[in-house]
Each structure stands twice: as C-alpha cells, then as structure tokens.
Amino acid sequence: MSSRFIGVDEKPALPYLILYGLQHVLAMFAGIVAVPLMVGTALKLPGEQITILVQGSLLTSGLGTLVQSLGIGRLGARLPICMGTAFVFISPFISVGSQLGIQAILGAAIVGGIVEFVFSFFVWRIQKYIPPVVTGTVVVLIGMGLMPLGFTWLAGGESSLFGQPISFAIGGLVLVILILINQFAKGVWPSISVALAIVVGYLAAGIAGVLNLGLVKEAAWFAVPKVFSFGLPKFSFPAILAVLVAQFASMLETIGDTYATGVVTHKKIGRRELSGAISVDGLLSSIAFLFNGLSITSFSQNIGVISITRVASRFAVAVSGIILLLMGLVPKFAALIASMPAPVLGGAALVMFGAIAGSGILQFREAKVFGEREMFIFAISVALGMGFGLHPEGALEYLPSYLTVILGSGVAVGGITAIILNQVLPVRQKEE
C-alpha cells in the first residue's frame, strides 16, 4: 500500500477533506436511513411522516458525528467516529410504537439517552474489566456480525435485484476496483479508494439500467424540519424498560467501536476518549426527538473505511457530519445517494467489514498472554455472539421482550460473555 497514514489530528487540504468525508457518508448512509424507514414502515406511518423521520435521523447523525470528532468540552472522543441511527433499537421501537405510538418511542429514547449520558461519567471505572482479549473479541464480532448485511447488499438488497447476476457483477466490480486502487495505486488514490469504487459502481449501475433516480426528481431542494412533528413525547415505564435494554447493548457496541478506532488510528483509548464517546451516544439520543430523529450510536463500517484508506483524520469525519447535516436540509441531495443500488454499497461493505474483524484480531497483540485460556474465552464468546446475533426467526419468540432485545445483539451477548469469562476463569501462572 503506497499511501501514507494520515493521523487523527492531521488536517488535509479542503478538497481532500471533502472527498474523505464523502466516502464515510457513502459507507454509512444506507445504515442511517434504513432504521427510520424500517420503523416507519412497520408502524404504517404515512409517507410524509417517514420522510420527516429520515430527515431528522440525518440531522441527528450529522450533529452527533460533528460533536464526536471535534469535541465540545468533555463531550466527544475527538476521534474519527461516525454516529448514526442504531439497528439495535429497531425491535424495541417497533414493539413500543405499535402498542403505545411513536410519542412513546420518543419519550423512552429521551430517558435511555439520559441514563447512558450519566453513565458516561463512570464508564472509565470498568476499563479494567475489558482487556484486549475482551475488546478484541467484541470488535471481531462487530465485523463478523456485519458481514451477512454486506452480502445481502451485494446480492441486491431488498429489491427486485436480489439474487440477480447483474447484482453480483456490479458488486464484484466495486470490490475488485477497491482492491486494485487500494493495493496498487500510488499517491492520494488509495486514501479515496472506497469513494472511487462506489462512484464506478454507481456509474456501472446507470449503464446497466438498474439505477432509479425517481426519488431525486420528487425530492425538494430545501426543507427545514418542524420541531415536534410527532407531538410531545410520552413516557411509559414498559417502553422505557425495553429501550433501556437496547441502550445498554448500544453502549457496549460504542465501547467496542471506540477501542477498534483506537487500533486503526494508533491511538491509546483512555478515560477521556471512552467517556467522551459514550457521552455523545447518550446525549444526542436523548435530544434526537427535537429534530424528529431516532437514537444514534457509533457506526462500525466507518472503522473499515479508516483501516482500508489509512485516513484517520477526525476533521475528515467532521466533514462527513457536515454533509449529513446538509442532506437533512437538502432532501434532493440525500435522494441522490439514497438511490444508490444495494450491490454498489455491498461490494465495498464486504471489504470494510472484513477489515473491522481484522482490526479486532490485531488487538490480541496487546495481550501479554494469549494462550489456551484466552483462546477459550474468544471461542465461546464468538460462538454465542454469532449464534444469538444470527439466530433463526422465531428462536427467541418465547422469551420476555426485555431479554430478546439484548439477546438479539450478537455484540452484546459476546461482549458480556467475554467479560464474565475473563473474570471467572482462573489465570495460570505459565501457559504453553
């Protein structure tokens, strides 16, 4: 790889910052809009209300990314961490919304976010319980857990393209272009390999006739979100309990993402970074309702972008936050990227998700000892994490809803398992 590593506090020239920021947006956009789309559709909201939900989630994600990367006081890790709407909340949000309405979702999200924000002041106290064998396991689970999603996108996503040869052809083209640019190009090209590969795939989709720009034509040029579009939040104890469990799972993922970011950026994660990352996760989730958005968390796929491109500048990620804010205000711009066929993103996503899992394995290097005990912890945690994370439909339906939320998150299950096993299994003085 010929491109040099761009550090966390480096600030490249503006044209490059925009390119670097755009490729982060390309990598995370589908994930951001998927959550409000899925929740809104499941709750049978009118089309205009789903649009408001998407717009609000873009604004919240953009603001969260800006605060996370640049920092405001104790808020933010000041690391290149992208924030977006969290998949872990989909199940509880649909459950709460279908029974109590979307106002109850907003009320529960406020409480969940506040609880996590308060916890961020004390989260550093648990650092001793999450050594490299734990964090490495969690990061590997994050990457592995995302791979089925990446392959689903590669195969065509939830569209008529699913399983079609053209989907694999386009996704394969993106994957090959990304590899070729990243490994054989010189100068600045490897650092924008993700964006370039996606652009090539986008154009290929247009040539192949599978690019639908109808959303772009219908979208408005400018729209300011109306505060409290869904009415005032409502507070329900059952709703709050369900969302709190998801908030805990979200926090575990953010902890894992923060350590993974530390690995790929060559930065040691200390008390300030961990506390700052969790504080943004909680605070922005608690005020998302002001923008008609949903709870947010750190995005794992962007760690893959950093690993592949070797661009770790937090200012590049700050630019991606600005782009997301603009998308929230300029629906036509958002529609242009929302029109990207799933195989285009899937081709790049598989490489990025694999890179995340690889960065987790690298964390094991930090362990002074990695013998049979550590391998056992890793094996059991990954097995349970992947098992529950990819459980067959209906496997958890007879369990209480507050359990299914956390058991449905492979990262949460695997992370908790690794923490417990690391505490209870005896440490041998000498391991072969």
Side-chain angles (χ1 to χ4, degrees):
M1 192 181 305
S2 56
S3 63
R4 76 175 184 88
F5 180 79
I6 297 177
V8 169
D9 295 315
E10 289 189 57
K11 189 184 295 184
L14 184 59
Y16 294 121
L17 276 177
I18 294 174
L19 280 173
Y20 298 152
L22 182 60
Q23 66 184 354
H24 276 291
V25 172
L26 291 171
M28 70 189 297
F29 185 82
I32 291 177
V33 301
V35 176
L37 282 174
M38 293 169 73
V39 172
T41 302
L43 297 182
K44 299 179 180 179
L45 297 179
E48 58 271 17
Q49 288 193 356
I50 295 178
T51 300
I52 291 172
L53 208 56
V54 170
Q55 184 183 10
S57 295
L58 285 169
L59 290 170
T60 307
S61 300
L63 183 59
T65 300
L66 267 175
V67 176
Q68 191 70 276
S69 55
L70 298 181
I72 300 177
R74 71 172 299 278
L75 291 176
R78 290 177 174 83
L79 291 171
I81 298 175
C82 293
M83 306 294 292
T85 47
F87 282 84
V88 71
F89 289 102
I90 291 177
S91 177
F93 279 173
I94 292 176
S95 176
V96 169
S98 60
Q99 299 177 57
L100 303 171
I102 192 168
Q103 294 90 349
I105 292 177
L106 301 179
I110 292 172
V111 176
I114 291 174
V115 170
E116 184 176 3
F117 176 71
V118 172
F119 187 79
S120 71
F121 289 89
F122 312 100
V123 70
W124 60 273
R125 294 180 180 273
I126 70 170
Q127 277 187 286
K128 63 181 180 181
Y129 299 109
I130 43 179
V133 66
V134 173
T135 58
T137 299
V138 170
V139 175
V140 168
L141 278 169
I142 290 172
M144 292 177 66
L146 286 169
M147 287 176 192
L149 176 62
F151 190 82
T152 299
W153 288 341
L154 178 74
E158 297 181 4
S159 70
S160 59
L161 291 175
F162 188 75
Q164 298 294 326
I166 187 64
S167 296
F168 292 102
I170 293 174
L173 174 66
V174 172
L175 189 151
V176 171
I177 292 294
L178 194 159
I179 293 173
L180 291 176
I181 295 175
N182 187 267
Q183 293 297 314
F184 299 106
K186 298 181 179 180
V188 72
W189 301 111
S191 63
I192 56 173
S193 56
V194 174
L196 288 175
I198 288 177
V199 168
V200 170
Y202 201 100
L203 294 175
I207 294 172
V210 296
L211 181 62
N212 184 359
L213 297 178
L215 285 174
V216 181
K217 296 177 181 178
E218 297 174 4
W221 279 104
F222 183 78
V224 178
K226 178 184 175 183
V227 179
F228 298 126
S229 291
F230 299 105
L232 294 176
K234 294 181 180 179
F235 299 94
S236 163
F237 181 74
I240 291 171
L241 182 62
V243 171
L244 273 176
V245 177
Q247 197 80 47
F248 176 70
S250 170
M251 186 182 68
L252 282 181
E253 293 195 19
T254 297
I255 291 174
D257 285 342
T258 303
Y259 279 103
T261 301
V263 173
V264 299
T265 59
H266 312 310
K267 294 282 285 187
K268 183 175 177 60
I269 302 301
R271 171 178 174 177
R272 183 183 66 79
E273 289 79 13
L274 192 61
S275 178
I278 300 299
S279 67
V280 173
D281 201 342
L283 182 62
L284 267 296
S285 293
S286 68
I287 65 172
F289 76 97
L290 293 174
F291 308 98
N292 308 305
L294 299 176
S295 302
I296 65 173
T297 191
S298 57
F299 260 41
S300 305
Q301 50 262 55
N302 297 90
I303 303 170
V305 174
I306 296 170
S307 179
I308 293 170
T309 63
R310 294 171 57 81
V311 177
S313 171
R314 61 192 177 99
F315 299 103
V317 167
V319 169
S320 71
I322 294 173
I323 294 174
L324 289 172
L325 286 172
L326 291 175
M327 283 181 168
L329 297 174
V330 185
K332 194 172 286 292
F333 184 34
L336 185 64
I337 294 184
S339 301
M340 178 168 43
V344 177
L345 185 60
L350 280 179
V351 180
M352 293 186 295
F353 298 163
I356 294 170
S359 68
I361 294 174
L362 286 176
Q363 290 199 37
F364 296 136
R365 290 183 179 179
E366 297 181 17
K368 296 180 179 179
V369 176
F370 191 81
E372 293 182 4
R373 175 183 180 273
E374 286 72 23
M375 181 57 71
F376 186 78
I377 293 173
F378 175 76
I380 297 299
S381 301
V382 169
L384 289 176
M386 293 302 296
F388 279 97
L390 301 177
H391 66 272
E393 184 178 355
L396 306 179
E397 66 176 315
Y398 297 110
L399 297 177
S401 59
Y402 60 85
L403 276 181
T404 59
V405 172
I406 195 164
L407 291 178
S409 169
V411 174
V413 171
I416 293 172
T417 301
I419 291 172
I420 293 174
L421 289 178
N422 185 60
Q423 291 300 307
V424 301
L425 294 184
V427 179
R428 299 177 182 177
Q429 293 300 318
K430 292 183 180 180
E431 293 194 45
E432 298 295 331

